Amino acid sequence: MNLWGGRFTKPTNQLVYDFNASIKFDQTFALQDIKGSIAHVKMLTKQQILTEQEGKDIENALQSIYQEIEQGRLAIDESCEDIHSFVESTLISRIGDTGKKLHTGRSRNDQVALDMRLYTRDQIQMMHTLIIDLLKTINDIMKEHIDTIMPGFTHLQKAQPITLAHHMGAYFEMFKRDATRLDDIYQRMNICPLGSGALAGTTYPLDREYTASLLGFDGPCLNSIDGVSDRDYLIELLSAMSTMMMHMSRLSEEMIIWNTNEYQFIELDDTFSTGSSIMPQKKNPDICELIRGKTGRVYGALMGLLTTMKGLPLAYNKDMQEDKEMFFDALTTTKGCLQLLSDMLKTTSFNKDKMKASATGGFTNATDAADYLVGKGVPFRDAHGIIGQLVLYAISQNKALDDLTLEEFKNISDVFDQDIYQAIDVNTCVNKRNTIGACGQEAMKKVIELNNQYLSQY
Ligand code: ARG
């Protein structure tokens, strides 16, 4: 059934019909569409725009359609133009003329705006649950690896010793910001566009506050033109998802590096790795690579919608139908990646010995050696120079700083004493850094406690 046609004398060209139709993708929110219609009917009845009987008949029929679709007993007819036409024509085929009253005081413009909001709200909640699970996984790794020493990097060069807990703690902060971004978006988008009509509102005495409260919104939108043409919340969510993907991609990249033969910091579980069809020895980090790769898709969806919306005059334009496919794809992609990353991390084993050995070589304790001299009264700039010479000498001897004899130390500066060995031990280097946010055990314990507190709300 077409929802229009009265003013036309010729049928639509088939290619035009197919190009215009959205049922293939807007059936995604079939249930939200019906939920919205039920609230609309309840409100129309309360306002005596429909009789009690009409309201009851429409509502009951919509409830059955809802359940049948949910249970897979009613197939969606893809020859309809969109999901709104499908639901309405199914309703009319079941209860006749009364069904034709459902669309009183409503337009597809405010209807689709409502459906997307209802759908997106559910999706934000699902995504939030997945992010919290990922944060729990990361926090568990932090608890377990508070004394697992590894090198921290700058420029992908070994810089200073840190712990795995500290390194993973950086990702905890990133994903926590992502979770709070979802909270913000939800709070801003939770207003009801229904009642905006096509753009100008309606002549019926709708109770928009009532409809909004039935659907769990904080209230109705305050401008009907904006109500039908606002897609900001989708752009905000795509932006938040892009940032999440960027964070997941960075961690994936590190896991790819850590998983190489050269590093061997981690071992991915067999259940989360894949093989090569030709090279029998291979165990590839495909999941990490796919997360890294799929980041581009989500960025693409963000750029796509920003570009679609750019230059659109108020109010509704059919361009806006393009808000759906790439957005749905971005949601599926991001949720899938969150789930996989969390499950993969849960099964990954960390090679403590390799990490510690790597942190011990490579002069990661050079800063601490300089600080040692400062502790003995040498100005930092001079200390920096002395340690530079020491490193140069150690490289020529193919030794780590820890392996130099006291005599070798003293040849460079006689300020050095026996206690230098203790001062540059990696454990000392890590555990002397105990200001909040640093890698030392005491500092990490405080942060983990704060993480626990944050997570205990969920
Ligand atoms: N399929 C349309 C969309 O996604 C529904 C709204 C149609 N409104 C209209 N005036 N043609 O945007």
Side-chain angles (χ1 to χ4, degrees), residues 22 26 82 84 108-109 112 231 316 318 320-321 324:
S22 52
D26 62 18
D82 53 31
H84 324 295
R108 271 186 300 169
N109 296 352
V112 77
R231 300 292 183 273
Y316 179 84
K318 195 65 177 244
M320 290 175 174
Q321 180 166 289
K324 297 181 186 59

Side-chain angles (χ1 to χ4, degrees), residues 78-289:
E78 294 197 353
S79 69
C80 291
E81 180 186 342
D82 53 31
I83 191 63
H84 324 295
S85 324
F86 171 74
V87 172
E88 201 172 318
S89 58
T90 309
L91 178 72
I92 294 168
S93 75
R94 291 186 182 190
I95 62 168
D97 281 350
T98 311
K100 295 182 183 165
K101 298 192 174 184
L102 167 64
H103 210 52
T104 312
R106 188 175 74 170
S107 154
R108 271 186 300 169
N109 296 352
D110 58 347
Q111 188 178 357
V112 77
L114 172 71
D115 294 358
M116 272 300 265
R117 252 173 225 263
L118 288 173
Y119 179 77
T120 303
R121 225 171 50 168
D122 294 346
Q123 292 294 315
I124 291 178
Q125 278 166 337
M126 286 179 215
M127 199 170 292
H128 198 275
T129 305
L130 290 169
I131 278 238
I132 296 298
D133 177 69
L134 176 60
L135 284 170
K136 286 183 176 157
T137 304
I138 293 175
N139 199 39
D140 286 345
I141 295 174
M142 292 171 71
K143 286 178 199 163
E144 204 182 315
H145 292 283
I146 199 159
D147 52 15
T148 300
I149 290 177
M150 66 177 281
F153 297 85
T154 61
H155 313 274
L156 207 53
Q157 310 263 341
K158 287 180 206 178
Q160 291 177 329
I162 54 167
T163 64
L164 180 58
H166 192 224
H167 195 97
M168 293 308 289
Y171 286 103
F172 189 97
E173 296 302 316
M174 294 179 228
F175 291 119
K176 183 178 163 194
R177 282 196 296 275
D178 289 331
T180 58
R181 254 188 284 277
L182 292 181
D183 299 334
D184 295 345
I185 296 169
Y186 189 100
Q187 178 240 311
R188 203 166 20 257
M189 61 87 72
N190 196 28
I191 50 163
C192 186
L194 199 64
S196 296
L199 80 159
T202 74
T203 54
Y204 298 95
L206 306 185
D207 184 344
R208 294 197 58 209
E209 276 79 9
Y210 182 66
T211 315
S213 77
L214 285 178
L215 291 167
F217 286 107
D218 294 333
C221 65
L222 297 184
N223 183 292
S224 57
I225 300 172
D226 186 49
V228 293
S229 57
D230 168 30
R231 300 292 183 273
D232 290 5
Y233 67 104
L234 301 179
I235 291 170
E236 284 187 44
L237 184 54
L238 283 166
S239 165
M241 288 194 281
S242 296
T243 308
M244 274 176 223
M245 289 301 301
M246 179 265 287
H247 293 153
M248 287 194 273
S249 179
R250 291 181 75 176
L251 179 50
S252 296
E253 166 70 7
E254 297 206 295
M255 291 180 74
I256 292 166
I257 295 172
W258 294 350
N259 186 57
T260 56
N261 284 330
E262 289 70 20
Y263 275 73
Q264 295 178 22
F265 281 9
I266 58 170
E267 165 115 27
L268 294 174
D269 196 69
D270 279 2
T271 52
F272 280 85
S273 317
T274 46
S276 155
S277 61
I278 176 169
M279 297 168 284
Q281 84 281 14
K282 284 285 199 143
K283 188 171 153 187
N284 295 328
D286 284 23
I287 298 307
C288 301
E289 291 168 24

